[in-house]
Every structure is written in structure tokens, then in C-alpha cells.
Amino acid sequence: MAVMEKGSTRGCLEQRTTHSPCLGVTVSCFGRPRNCAIGDWEDSERFAFMADQAQKNGVKHLWVPRPTTFNTLIASPQQFERVWDIDDVLVHTGVMADGVELLPNDGFSISSGDCPTLVVVDKKSNRIIATHAGRDCLIDRGEILRSRPTRNHRSVVDVIWNRLEPEDPRAIQAWVYCGIGPEGFSHDVGHPEYGEDNQTLISWLIRHYGTGVFADPQSQGKLRLLHLIRKQFERYGVAPRQVKTDHVDTGRDLNQLTGKPAWWSRRRGDSGRNGVLVTRQ
């Protein structure tokens, strides 16, 4: 559940959650009223807050890819073209990608309007990947709607598996953070512009993953991203219980003190973005 902590934004209580999924790893999520949108890569001030938070956790290298193309890329250090030195934290930016592999003293930061962040640990090899895991990272809409795949892998889950090459699926542990729930993530088949595409999308997902990926597949197509991620891992032998969630719903959660939305939500029409920071000691 979300934990409220005092924040510095305009003297208000800031929505944030902090969780340690395994020894040495911390995941912090920052919601309203702080706006964690990156925007301009050329403005180092955009990264100052996350760099400060990362430094408190002993981070030396903070990796900040831009996930807006949903290309499922888990970027290597050489692919980051820009480096900012902010209070002794090297902030690496300048690459279109969804995630990174974290080494000790590394951090991963991303801004998000509803898309969850996925953290995957192979407990046997002690390797960790953190990545953006929005709908279009989990399915290739080009393949589904136009029969033209847009990338080499259908899902970022496939990329993670190929990258980690786990010896034992039972050693995999995954966590899903700061994502939208199904009630706020509908795909209405009656929509005047997108209805036909939504119906194609729903039919494809049910055919490949079953009716459970939707809370209501016959009308609004309310997509359960957590269930979809679990089904994709299940194909590799990872049990659903090994994929956990922080129970945040960016579309519906309310601030317990103000009664207003706790998180930014693109589906709701918000322009602000939540921030997620994953650090490894």
C-alpha cells in the first residue's frame, strides 16, 4: 500500500511509496503534486531531484532512458549519449530505451503517466533489470493491427529473459510498480475512432493469453497489465506468485488526506508525470 511521507513540493504532502523488493534494492515512486516529467534532455535541472534521491542511496551512476518509443530495448551503458555530473552522481541520458541492467551502485529512473515499472531479479545469478513496462512494451501493436511487426521481440519480458538467460525459472522474482489498474484502462469497442482497433486488440490478447487479462472483455476491454505480465512470464516457467505488485493504481488511487488523485494519469488527461527510482547498493 502507498506510504505518505512529507514532501517539499509547495508545502503539501507528497504522494510517495518506498519498497525494498530484495536485499540492497530500493524502489521509490513519486506522485502528485511533484511533476517528474523529464521533457528536455538538455536541461540538467530536470534530473536534479532524482539525482539527489539516488545519492542518498549510494548511487554513483543513474541511468535515465526515454521510453516513449516502446522499443523494448534494454540499453547498454555505451548507448547513453549524454552524461550530467550532478552532486557526484553521473546521470546518463540520451537514449530511446525502456530499461537497463543494474550493477551495484547503479540507479534507474523513469517518468510515467500510467505505465508500470517492472523490476526483475534473478536470485541465482544476482542480476537485476529495471524497465518501463507499459502496454505497448508488452505487445506489438504493429503486429496486431497491421500484421507488420515493429521490433524483434514481441514483449519486453522476452527481452529480459534473453538478457538474463536464467538457469532456473524458480529463481526469478519480479515486481510491478506504479501502474494503472483495469478500471481506468479501458479499450471500448464502441469508440467512434478506435473501436475497431480495440476489438482487434482484445481478440488477439484473449486468443494468446486468455480472458483473464481483461476485467471486462466484452464491453470496455479493461486491461489488467499485471495479469498480462504474469501470463508472459508463465510461458517461461515463472509462477504467477513470483510476479508481485505494489497495488498502486495511478488511475483511481486518492490521496488519503486531500481526497484528490494521488498519482498523475495520462488516461485521465493529466500533463504531469510520476517518477520511479530503482536503486541498487
Side-chain angles (χ1 to χ4, degrees), residues 15-221:
Q15 186 76 19
R16 28 176 110 175
T17 66
T18 301
H19 178 243
S20 181
C22 62
L23 185 64
V25 176
T26 301
V27 182
S28 300
C29 304
F30 303 89
R32 286 173 173 262
R34 181 180 296 281
N35 184 356
C36 292
I38 297 298
D40 185 4
W41 268 345
E42 300 302 319
D43 183 359
S44 64
E45 290 300 315
R46 297 281 186 173
F47 306 99
F49 172 73
M50 284 300 184
D52 177 66
Q53 298 299 310
Q55 185 190 48
K56 294 175 182 177
N57 286 345
V59 165
K60 301 299 183 184
H61 295 272
L62 179 61
W63 307 96
V64 191
R66 178 170 288 182
T68 52
T69 58
F70 300 92
N71 59 13
T72 71
L73 176 64
I74 304 300
S76 61
Q78 302 93 309
Q79 291 174 290
F80 288 80
E81 298 179 351
R82 162 78 71 177
V83 182
W84 298 102
D85 188 343
I86 303 176
D87 295 331
D88 296 323
V89 175
L90 295 179
V91 180
H92 303 263
T93 70
V95 63
M96 292 289 188
D98 284 305
V100 298
E101 181 171 351
L102 293 176
L103 300 178
N105 302 120
D106 274 357
F108 166 80
S109 176
I110 198 169
S111 60
S112 170
D114 281 316
C115 296
T117 295
L118 176 62
V119 179
V120 182
V121 177
D122 184 340
K123 294 185 289 185
K124 192 167 186 177
S125 66
N126 202 29
R127 295 175 67 188
I128 301 170
I129 288 178
T131 182
H132 177 235
R135 179 197 62 191
D136 291 351
C137 296
L138 302 171
I139 58 173
D140 186 342
R141 283 164 51 86
E143 176 190 3
I144 297 169
L145 301 179
R146 296 179 294 280
S147 299
R148 293 196 299 270
T150 63
R151 58 202 187 211
N152 294 329
H153 297 88
R154 179 175 285 174
S155 169
V156 72
V157 171
D158 302 321
V159 179
I160 291 169
W161 201 264
N162 290 341
R163 181 73 170 261
L164 293 178
E165 297 183 323
E167 293 183 14
D168 185 357
R170 294 171 298 180
I172 293 296
Q173 192 69 61
W175 292 265
V176 180
Y177 293 98
C178 203
I180 192 169
E183 292 302 317
F185 200 24
S186 64
H187 297 75
D188 186 1
V189 299
H191 191 282
E193 184 176 357
Y194 301 112
E196 185 175 347
D197 284 353
N198 286 340
Q199 182 61 71
T200 301
L201 186 72
I202 291 169
S203 298
W204 188 93
L205 282 165
I206 290 175
R207 186 166 64 252
H208 285 81
Y209 300 107
T211 57
V213 296
F214 289 100
D216 185 3
Q218 299 303 317
S219 56
Q220 295 296 313

